[in-house]
Amino acid sequence: MTKTNAMRLLSSAKINFDVFTYEFDENDLSGIHAAQYLKIYPCEFFKTLVLKGAKNGVFVCCIPVDKELDLKKAASSFNDKSCEMIHLKDLLSIAGYMRGACTPVGMKKNYPVFFDESINNLEFVYMSAGARGLALKIKPDDIINYVNGKTVSLTK
């Protein structure tokens, strides 16, 4: 298995994590598919969403794959009045990751990162390792602290 940039960064920071592989489907890049393949609850697998606030620029939200982001809560967390998802065509140039491989670790810039507060109920959280078909398993505090993240209410 090739190490992704996210894996290299976490390793160099001496943060413990495990990596799992799963078969991804080009027609279904959802985290639900990944969670089913890994035989974990969808609430344990977090997807990484990249957004742009109306006045404050780009930020990142990580939420369980079975939940829907509340844009008003996301904007409020970022001290903005509104926000929207960045266009899919811009994801690689802004975040450095393609759809289905986005992770808050090792983005092109250190964007503000917000995690849904449900992460506090988990012993471990799973998320993309920076490539399709690779997932990190990591302690919530480790990932939150590494990316200087905050936990807030983000879902509907």
Side-chain angles (χ1 to χ4, degrees):
M1 170 187 344
T2 305
K3 269 196 169 185
T4 64
N5 189 42
M7 293 159 57
R8 282 190 291 279
L9 289 168
L10 291 170
S11 291
S12 67
K14 303 209 181 325
I15 294 175
N16 292 323
F17 63 92
D18 292 313
V19 179
F20 294 87
T21 60
Y22 61 92
E23 290 184 27
F24 68 92
D25 178 351
E26 282 289 338
N27 298 314
D28 183 7
L29 294 172
S30 73
I32 298 265
H33 170 78
Q36 288 171 339
Y37 189 90
L38 295 171
K39 295 181 175 38
I40 61 171
Y41 294 108
C43 65
E44 297 174 303
F45 201 107
F46 274 49
K47 57 187 169 185
T48 302
L49 306 172
V50 184
L51 300 100
K52 185 169 185 178
K55 63 178 181 178
N56 293 329
V58 176
F59 67 107
V60 176
C61 291
C62 298
I63 65 169
V65 297
D66 62 341
K67 299 292 182 189
E68 187 177 339
L69 181 68
D70 184 318
L71 290 173
K72 287 183 181 181
K73 288 180 180 180
S76 177
S77 299
F78 193 46
N79 291 325
D80 219 319
K81 55 184 168 186
S82 65
C83 66
E84 62 183 16
M85 298 286 296
I86 63 166
H87 294 285
L88 193 55
K89 66 180 178 56
D90 299 325
L91 184 61
L92 186 59
S93 64
I94 291 173
Y97 292 109
M98 66 173 66
R99 180 174 175 253
C102 202
T103 181
V105 179
M107 287 195 170
K108 287 192 170 188
K109 293 185 180 176
N110 289 327
Y111 300 116
V113 180
F114 300 91
F115 292 87
D116 185 67
E117 63 191 0
S118 64
I119 197 170
N120 294 323
N121 301 327
L122 302 174
E123 183 178 357
F124 291 97
V125 64
Y126 295 76
M127 59 183 41
S128 175
R132 290 176 177 172
L134 292 177
L136 294 172
K137 176 185 177 187
I138 190 167
K139 289 184 178 178
D141 284 345
D142 288 344
I143 188 67
I144 293 166
N145 292 333
Y146 182 79
V147 299
N148 243 352
K150 295 180 181 167
T151 56
V152 294
S153 175
L154 289 172
T155 58
K156 293 184 178 182

